Amino acid sequence: MPGNRLFFALRPSPLARNLIGVQRDQLGLAESVVENDRLHITLAITEDFARQPYAEAKALIAIGEQVSAAPVPVRLDRVSGSNETIALRPSRKIDALAELGAKLQQGLARAGLLRGTWDFHPHVTLLYRKGRPFTRTIDPISWDATDFVLIHSILGAHRHIELGRWPLEDRQGAFGF
């Protein structure tokens, strides 16, 4: 059974993380909640691995080191529930977020590590539950993402290990793939 996953993500600022946690806690009972320390927006993700993905982690660290991008203004203003999850989402496309995600996804694709069935739809998963789909607006939760991270997720253990962190900085004339 696969037990390891690698992904690049944006983590909310401490204030935004707490506001997101309040929003999650107001939703009521769930089969499983995403605790505040694991809240994130996935930017690019690998397939799952049964073994420790050492070589893959090294390749992703090299990809993270090559990415150059400006800070990303994040604004989440919708709560949406699917049959299995509830998440916060933006109601409008965030160009800088899409561009950062595309850079990282291209890097993973070139390395043969991008999950084949994954599409980028920015969201912060709050909880897992069985229920009817819904969408509603909320007061926006916003922050400026000033870095992105590489996470090693231990599946089933609800554990995230940060393997790398890279700044998002305005760099006039900077190159980045």
Short mmCIF file of all heavy atoms in Angstrom, two decimals, residues 127-176:
data_model
loop_
_atom_site.label_atom_id
_atom_site.label_comp_id
_atom_site.label_asym_id
_atom_site.label_seq_id
_atom_site.Cartn_x
_atom_site.Cartn_y
_atom_site.Cartn_z
N LEU A 127 -11.71 19.39 5.41
CA LEU A 127 -12.12 18.16 6.07
C LEU A 127 -12.61 17.15 5.04
O LEU A 127 -12.88 17.47 3.89
CB LEU A 127 -13.20 18.43 7.13
CG LEU A 127 -14.48 19.14 6.69
CD1 LEU A 127 -15.53 18.15 6.23
CD2 LEU A 127 -15.02 19.94 7.87
N TYR A 128 -12.71 15.90 5.52
CA TYR A 128 -13.23 14.80 4.72
C TYR A 128 -14.52 14.33 5.37
O TYR A 128 -14.59 14.19 6.59
CB TYR A 128 -12.21 13.66 4.66
CG TYR A 128 -10.93 14.09 3.99
CD1 TYR A 128 -9.90 14.68 4.73
CD2 TYR A 128 -10.76 13.95 2.63
CE1 TYR A 128 -8.73 15.10 4.11
CE2 TYR A 128 -9.59 14.37 2.00
CZ TYR A 128 -8.58 14.95 2.75
OH TYR A 128 -7.44 15.38 2.13
N ARG A 129 -15.53 14.10 4.52
CA ARG A 129 -16.82 13.66 5.02
C ARG A 129 -17.65 13.15 3.85
O ARG A 129 -17.32 13.37 2.69
CB ARG A 129 -17.56 14.78 5.74
CG ARG A 129 -17.76 16.06 4.91
CD ARG A 129 -18.96 15.95 4.04
NE ARG A 129 -19.40 17.24 3.54
CZ ARG A 129 -19.92 17.38 2.33
NH1 ARG A 129 -20.02 16.39 1.53
NH2 ARG A 129 -20.34 18.55 1.93
N LYS A 130 -18.70 12.44 4.14
CA LYS A 130 -19.67 12.04 3.12
C LYS A 130 -20.81 13.04 3.19
O LYS A 130 -21.31 13.34 4.28
CB LYS A 130 -20.20 10.63 3.37
CG LYS A 130 -19.12 9.57 3.41
CD LYS A 130 -18.56 9.34 2.03
CE LYS A 130 -17.54 8.20 2.09
NZ LYS A 130 -16.57 8.25 1.05
N GLY A 131 -21.22 13.59 2.07
CA GLY A 131 -22.29 14.57 2.10
C GLY A 131 -22.64 15.07 0.72
O GLY A 131 -22.04 14.67 -0.27
N ARG A 132 -23.60 15.94 0.69
CA ARG A 132 -24.07 16.51 -0.56
C ARG A 132 -23.18 17.69 -0.98
O ARG A 132 -22.75 18.46 -0.13
CB ARG A 132 -25.50 16.97 -0.40
CG ARG A 132 -26.45 15.82 -0.09
CD ARG A 132 -27.84 16.32 0.06
NE ARG A 132 -28.20 16.97 -1.21
CZ ARG A 132 -29.42 17.08 -1.67
NH1 ARG A 132 -30.42 16.62 -0.96
NH2 ARG A 132 -29.67 17.66 -2.82
N PRO A 133 -22.98 17.85 -2.28
CA PRO A 133 -22.21 19.00 -2.77
C PRO A 133 -22.93 20.32 -2.48
O PRO A 133 -24.16 20.37 -2.44
CB PRO A 133 -22.13 18.75 -4.27
CG PRO A 133 -22.34 17.29 -4.44
CD PRO A 133 -23.29 16.90 -3.34
N PHE A 134 -22.12 21.36 -2.25
CA PHE A 134 -22.66 22.70 -2.04
C PHE A 134 -21.55 23.71 -2.30
O PHE A 134 -20.37 23.36 -2.32
CB PHE A 134 -23.19 22.87 -0.61
CG PHE A 134 -22.10 22.90 0.43
CD1 PHE A 134 -21.52 24.11 0.82
CD2 PHE A 134 -21.63 21.73 1.02
CE1 PHE A 134 -20.51 24.15 1.76
CE2 PHE A 134 -20.62 21.77 1.96
CZ PHE A 134 -20.05 22.98 2.34
N THR A 135 -21.93 24.95 -2.48
CA THR A 135 -20.99 26.07 -2.59
C THR A 135 -21.65 27.28 -1.97
O THR A 135 -22.84 27.51 -2.17
CB THR A 135 -20.66 26.39 -4.06
OG1 THR A 135 -20.06 25.24 -4.65
CG2 THR A 135 -19.69 27.55 -4.16
N ARG A 136 -20.86 28.03 -1.19
CA ARG A 136 -21.36 29.30 -0.65
C ARG A 136 -20.20 30.26 -0.48
O ARG A 136 -19.05 29.85 -0.32
CB ARG A 136 -22.12 29.09 0.65
CG ARG A 136 -21.28 28.70 1.82
CD ARG A 136 -22.13 28.72 3.11
NE ARG A 136 -21.32 28.45 4.24
CZ ARG A 136 -21.29 27.29 4.91
NH1 ARG A 136 -22.05 26.31 4.55
NH2 ARG A 136 -20.49 27.15 5.94
N THR A 137 -20.51 31.54 -0.54
CA THR A 137 -19.47 32.54 -0.37
C THR A 137 -19.23 32.77 1.13
O THR A 137 -20.11 32.53 1.96
CB THR A 137 -19.85 33.87 -1.04
OG1 THR A 137 -21.07 34.33 -0.48
CG2 THR A 137 -20.01 33.70 -2.54
N ILE A 138 -18.04 33.25 1.43
CA ILE A 138 -17.66 33.60 2.80
C ILE A 138 -16.93 34.93 2.76
O ILE A 138 -16.54 35.40 1.68
CB ILE A 138 -16.75 32.52 3.44
CG1 ILE A 138 -15.42 32.40 2.65
CG2 ILE A 138 -17.46 31.18 3.56
CD1 ILE A 138 -14.34 31.64 3.37
N ASP A 139 -16.73 35.53 3.92
CA ASP A 139 -15.85 36.69 3.99
C ASP A 139 -14.46 36.22 3.58
O ASP A 139 -13.99 35.18 4.06
CB ASP A 139 -15.82 37.26 5.41
CG ASP A 139 -17.12 37.94 5.80
OD1 ASP A 139 -17.85 38.40 4.89
OD2 ASP A 139 -17.41 38.00 7.01
N PRO A 140 -13.79 36.95 2.70
CA PRO A 140 -12.51 36.48 2.19
C PRO A 140 -11.46 36.29 3.28
O PRO A 140 -11.39 37.04 4.25
CB PRO A 140 -12.08 37.62 1.25
CG PRO A 140 -13.32 38.35 0.93
CD PRO A 140 -14.21 38.22 2.12
N ILE A 141 -10.67 35.25 3.08
CA ILE A 141 -9.47 35.01 3.88
C ILE A 141 -8.31 35.19 2.92
O ILE A 141 -8.22 34.51 1.90
CB ILE A 141 -9.47 33.60 4.49
CG1 ILE A 141 -10.68 33.42 5.43
CG2 ILE A 141 -8.15 33.33 5.21
CD1 ILE A 141 -10.85 32.02 5.96
N SER A 142 -7.43 36.15 3.23
CA SER A 142 -6.36 36.53 2.30
C SER A 142 -5.01 36.55 2.99
O SER A 142 -4.92 36.80 4.19
CB SER A 142 -6.63 37.93 1.73
OG SER A 142 -7.87 37.97 1.08
N TRP A 143 -3.98 36.29 2.20
CA TRP A 143 -2.61 36.47 2.65
C TRP A 143 -1.72 36.56 1.41
O TRP A 143 -2.11 36.17 0.32
CB TRP A 143 -2.15 35.33 3.57
CG TRP A 143 -1.83 34.02 2.92
CD1 TRP A 143 -0.60 33.60 2.51
CD2 TRP A 143 -2.73 32.96 2.59
NE1 TRP A 143 -0.68 32.35 1.95
CE2 TRP A 143 -1.99 31.93 2.00
CE3 TRP A 143 -4.10 32.77 2.75
CZ2 TRP A 143 -2.55 30.75 1.56
CZ3 TRP A 143 -4.68 31.59 2.31
CH2 TRP A 143 -3.91 30.60 1.73
N ASP A 144 -0.54 37.12 1.59
CA ASP A 144 0.46 37.15 0.53
C ASP A 144 1.43 36.01 0.79
O ASP A 144 2.14 36.01 1.81
CB ASP A 144 1.22 38.48 0.51
CG ASP A 144 0.36 39.61 -0.03
OD1 ASP A 144 -0.53 39.34 -0.86
OD2 ASP A 144 0.59 40.76 0.39
N ALA A 145 1.44 35.03 -0.11
CA ALA A 145 2.37 33.91 0.02
C ALA A 145 3.75 34.40 -0.39
O ALA A 145 3.95 34.85 -1.52
CB ALA A 145 1.92 32.75 -0.85
N THR A 146 4.69 34.33 0.52
CA THR A 146 6.04 34.82 0.28
C THR A 146 7.05 33.68 0.10
O THR A 146 8.24 33.93 -0.06
CB THR A 146 6.50 35.74 1.42
OG1 THR A 146 6.40 35.03 2.65
CG2 THR A 146 5.63 37.00 1.47
N ASP A 147 6.57 32.45 0.16
CA ASP A 147 7.42 31.30 -0.11
C ASP A 147 6.55 30.11 -0.48
O ASP A 147 5.34 30.13 -0.31
CB ASP A 147 8.36 30.97 1.06
CG ASP A 147 7.63 30.77 2.38
OD1 ASP A 147 6.45 30.34 2.38
OD2 ASP A 147 8.23 31.02 3.43
N PHE A 148 7.18 29.08 -1.05
CA PHE A 148 6.50 27.82 -1.30
C PHE A 148 7.36 26.72 -0.72
O PHE A 148 8.55 26.90 -0.45
CB PHE A 148 6.22 27.62 -2.80
CG PHE A 148 7.43 27.41 -3.66
CD1 PHE A 148 7.84 26.14 -4.04
CD2 PHE A 148 8.16 28.50 -4.14
CE1 PHE A 148 8.95 25.96 -4.85
CE2 PHE A 148 9.26 28.33 -4.96
CZ PHE A 148 9.66 27.05 -5.31
N VAL A 149 6.74 25.57 -0.46
CA VAL A 149 7.41 24.49 0.25
C VAL A 149 7.28 23.17 -0.50
O VAL A 149 6.37 22.99 -1.31
CB VAL A 149 6.85 24.32 1.69
CG1 VAL A 149 7.13 25.55 2.53
CG2 VAL A 149 5.37 24.00 1.67
N LEU A 150 8.19 22.26 -0.21
CA LEU A 150 8.11 20.88 -0.66
C LEU A 150 7.76 20.05 0.56
O LEU A 150 8.47 20.13 1.58
CB LEU A 150 9.44 20.42 -1.27
CG LEU A 150 9.51 18.94 -1.64
CD1 LEU A 150 8.46 18.56 -2.69
CD2 LEU A 150 10.92 18.58 -2.12
N ILE A 151 6.70 19.27 0.46
CA ILE A 151 6.20 18.47 1.57
C ILE A 151 6.31 16.99 1.24
O ILE A 151 5.97 16.56 0.14
CB ILE A 151 4.71 18.81 1.87
CG1 ILE A 151 4.54 20.28 2.22
CG2 ILE A 151 4.13 17.90 2.94
CD1 ILE A 151 5.14 20.68 3.53
N HIS A 152 6.74 16.22 2.23
CA HIS A 152 6.68 14.76 2.18
C HIS A 152 5.52 14.37 3.09
O HIS A 152 5.58 14.60 4.29
CB HIS A 152 7.99 14.15 2.67
CG HIS A 152 7.96 12.65 2.75
ND1 HIS A 152 8.94 11.95 3.38
CD2 HIS A 152 7.08 11.73 2.29
CE1 HIS A 152 8.68 10.65 3.31
NE2 HIS A 152 7.54 10.51 2.65
N SER A 153 4.46 13.83 2.50
CA SER A 153 3.29 13.42 3.27
C SER A 153 3.39 11.93 3.56
O SER A 153 3.57 11.11 2.64
CB SER A 153 2.01 13.70 2.47
OG SER A 153 0.88 13.25 3.17
N ILE A 154 3.29 11.58 4.84
CA ILE A 154 3.24 10.18 5.25
C ILE A 154 1.76 9.81 5.26
O ILE A 154 1.01 10.23 6.16
CB ILE A 154 3.87 9.96 6.64
CG1 ILE A 154 5.25 10.61 6.73
CG2 ILE A 154 3.90 8.47 6.98
CD1 ILE A 154 6.30 10.04 5.83
N LEU A 155 1.33 9.08 4.25
CA LEU A 155 -0.09 8.78 4.08
C LEU A 155 -0.62 7.91 5.21
O LEU A 155 0.03 6.97 5.64
CB LEU A 155 -0.33 8.10 2.73
CG LEU A 155 0.15 8.91 1.52
CD1 LEU A 155 -0.05 8.12 0.24
CD2 LEU A 155 -0.55 10.24 1.45
N GLY A 156 -1.79 8.26 5.69
CA GLY A 156 -2.42 7.52 6.77
C GLY A 156 -1.97 7.93 8.16
O GLY A 156 -2.62 7.62 9.14
N ALA A 157 -0.84 8.65 8.22
CA ALA A 157 -0.31 9.08 9.52
C ALA A 157 -0.67 10.54 9.80
O ALA A 157 -0.37 11.04 10.88
CB ALA A 157 1.20 8.90 9.57
N HIS A 158 -1.29 11.22 8.84
CA HIS A 158 -1.63 12.65 8.99
C HIS A 158 -0.39 13.44 9.37
O HIS A 158 -0.41 14.26 10.27
CB HIS A 158 -2.73 12.84 10.02
CG HIS A 158 -3.95 12.05 9.72
ND1 HIS A 158 -4.80 12.36 8.69
CD2 HIS A 158 -4.47 10.94 10.31
CE1 HIS A 158 -5.79 11.49 8.66
NE2 HIS A 158 -5.61 10.61 9.61
N ARG A 159 0.70 13.18 8.64
CA ARG A 159 1.97 13.81 8.97
C ARG A 159 2.58 14.43 7.72
O ARG A 159 2.67 13.77 6.68
CB ARG A 159 2.91 12.75 9.55
CG ARG A 159 4.11 13.34 10.17
CD ARG A 159 4.78 12.38 11.14
NE ARG A 159 6.13 12.85 11.30
CZ ARG A 159 7.20 12.11 11.14
NH1 ARG A 159 7.09 10.84 10.89
NH2 ARG A 159 8.38 12.63 11.28
N HIS A 160 3.00 15.68 7.81
CA HIS A 160 3.69 16.39 6.74
C HIS A 160 5.08 16.77 7.22
O HIS A 160 5.23 17.36 8.28
CB HIS A 160 2.94 17.67 6.36
CG HIS A 160 1.70 17.43 5.57
ND1 HIS A 160 0.85 18.43 5.22
CD2 HIS A 160 1.18 16.30 5.03
CE1 HIS A 160 -0.15 17.94 4.52
NE2 HIS A 160 0.03 16.65 4.39
N ILE A 161 6.08 16.45 6.42
CA ILE A 161 7.47 16.80 6.71
C ILE A 161 7.93 17.78 5.64
O ILE A 161 7.89 17.47 4.45
CB ILE A 161 8.36 15.55 6.72
CG1 ILE A 161 7.85 14.54 7.76
CG2 ILE A 161 9.82 15.94 6.98
CD1 ILE A 161 8.43 13.16 7.59
N GLU A 162 8.35 18.96 6.06
CA GLU A 162 8.84 19.96 5.12
C GLU A 162 10.26 19.60 4.70
O GLU A 162 11.15 19.50 5.55
CB GLU A 162 8.79 21.35 5.76
CG GLU A 162 9.09 22.45 4.79
CD GLU A 162 8.94 23.83 5.41
OE1 GLU A 162 7.85 24.12 5.95
OE2 GLU A 162 9.91 24.60 5.33
N LEU A 163 10.47 19.45 3.38
CA LEU A 163 11.78 19.08 2.85
C LEU A 163 12.53 20.27 2.26
O LEU A 163 13.74 20.19 2.07
CB LEU A 163 11.64 18.01 1.77
CG LEU A 163 10.99 16.70 2.20
CD1 LEU A 163 10.90 15.75 1.01
CD2 LEU A 163 11.76 16.05 3.34
N GLY A 164 11.82 21.33 1.97
CA GLY A 164 12.46 22.50 1.38
C GLY A 164 11.50 23.67 1.36
O GLY A 164 10.28 23.49 1.39
N ARG A 165 12.08 24.87 1.36
CA ARG A 165 11.29 26.11 1.34
C ARG A 165 12.07 27.12 0.50
O ARG A 165 13.27 27.29 0.70
CB ARG A 165 11.10 26.62 2.77
CG ARG A 165 10.33 27.93 2.89
CD ARG A 165 10.15 28.34 4.35
NE ARG A 165 9.26 27.44 5.03
CZ ARG A 165 7.95 27.66 5.21
NH1 ARG A 165 7.41 28.76 4.77
NH2 ARG A 165 7.21 26.78 5.85
N TRP A 166 11.33 27.77 -0.43
CA TRP A 166 11.96 28.72 -1.32
C TRP A 166 11.20 30.03 -1.30
O TRP A 166 9.96 30.04 -1.34
CB TRP A 166 12.01 28.15 -2.74
CG TRP A 166 12.87 26.94 -2.80
CD1 TRP A 166 14.20 26.88 -3.02
CD2 TRP A 166 12.44 25.59 -2.61
NE1 TRP A 166 14.64 25.58 -2.98
CE2 TRP A 166 13.57 24.76 -2.72
CE3 TRP A 166 11.21 24.99 -2.35
CZ2 TRP A 166 13.51 23.38 -2.59
CZ3 TRP A 166 11.14 23.60 -2.21
CH2 TRP A 166 12.28 22.82 -2.34
N PRO A 167 11.91 31.17 -1.28
CA PRO A 167 11.23 32.47 -1.25
C PRO A 167 10.59 32.81 -2.59
O PRO A 167 11.08 32.42 -3.65
CB PRO A 167 12.36 33.45 -0.92
CG PRO A 167 13.59 32.79 -1.42
CD PRO A 167 13.36 31.30 -1.26
N LEU A 168 9.51 33.54 -2.51
CA LEU A 168 8.88 34.15 -3.68
C LEU A 168 9.24 35.62 -3.60
O LEU A 168 8.83 36.30 -2.65
CB LEU A 168 7.36 33.93 -3.64
CG LEU A 168 6.92 32.48 -3.76
CD1 LEU A 168 5.43 32.35 -3.47
CD2 LEU A 168 7.26 31.92 -5.13
N GLU A 169 10.03 36.09 -4.55
CA GLU A 169 10.55 37.45 -4.49
C GLU A 169 10.37 38.14 -5.83
O GLU A 169 10.51 37.51 -6.88
CB GLU A 169 12.06 37.42 -4.17
CG GLU A 169 12.37 36.73 -2.87
CD GLU A 169 13.86 36.53 -2.66
OE1 GLU A 169 14.57 36.16 -3.61
OE2 GLU A 169 14.30 36.75 -1.52
N ASP A 170 10.08 39.43 -5.77
CA ASP A 170 10.05 40.22 -6.99
C ASP A 170 11.49 40.38 -7.46
O ASP A 170 12.33 40.90 -6.72
CB ASP A 170 9.45 41.61 -6.73
CG ASP A 170 7.95 41.58 -6.70
OD1 ASP A 170 7.36 40.90 -7.56
OD2 ASP A 170 7.36 42.22 -5.81
N ARG A 171 11.76 39.92 -8.65
CA ARG A 171 13.11 40.06 -9.22
C ARG A 171 12.96 40.56 -10.63
O ARG A 171 12.59 39.80 -11.52
CB ARG A 171 13.83 38.72 -9.24
CG ARG A 171 14.13 38.17 -7.88
CD ARG A 171 14.95 36.93 -8.04
NE ARG A 171 14.83 36.12 -6.84
CZ ARG A 171 15.17 34.87 -6.77
NH1 ARG A 171 15.62 34.25 -7.82
NH2 ARG A 171 15.03 34.20 -5.65
N GLN A 172 13.24 41.82 -10.85
CA GLN A 172 13.18 42.39 -12.19
C GLN A 172 14.15 41.65 -13.09
O GLN A 172 15.33 41.52 -12.78
CB GLN A 172 13.55 43.88 -12.15
CG GLN A 172 12.54 44.72 -11.40
CD GLN A 172 11.24 44.86 -12.19
OE1 GLN A 172 11.23 44.78 -13.39
NE2 GLN A 172 10.15 45.06 -11.47
N GLY A 173 13.63 41.14 -14.20
CA GLY A 173 14.49 40.48 -15.18
C GLY A 173 14.95 39.09 -14.77
O GLY A 173 15.80 38.53 -15.42
N ALA A 174 14.39 38.52 -13.70
CA ALA A 174 14.82 37.19 -13.26
C ALA A 174 14.31 36.13 -14.25
O ALA A 174 13.26 36.29 -14.86
CB ALA A 174 14.27 36.90 -11.86
N PHE A 175 15.07 35.08 -14.38
CA PHE A 175 14.68 33.98 -15.23
C PHE A 175 14.17 32.85 -14.34
O PHE A 175 14.67 32.61 -13.26
CB PHE A 175 15.86 33.46 -16.06
CG PHE A 175 16.35 34.47 -17.04
CD1 PHE A 175 17.47 35.21 -16.76
CD2 PHE A 175 15.68 34.67 -18.23
CE1 PHE A 175 17.91 36.17 -17.65
CE2 PHE A 175 16.13 35.61 -19.13
CZ PHE A 175 17.25 36.36 -18.84
N GLY A 176 13.20 32.16 -14.80
CA GLY A 176 12.67 30.99 -14.10
C GLY A 176 11.92 30.16 -15.10
O GLY A 176 11.33 30.68 -16.03
#
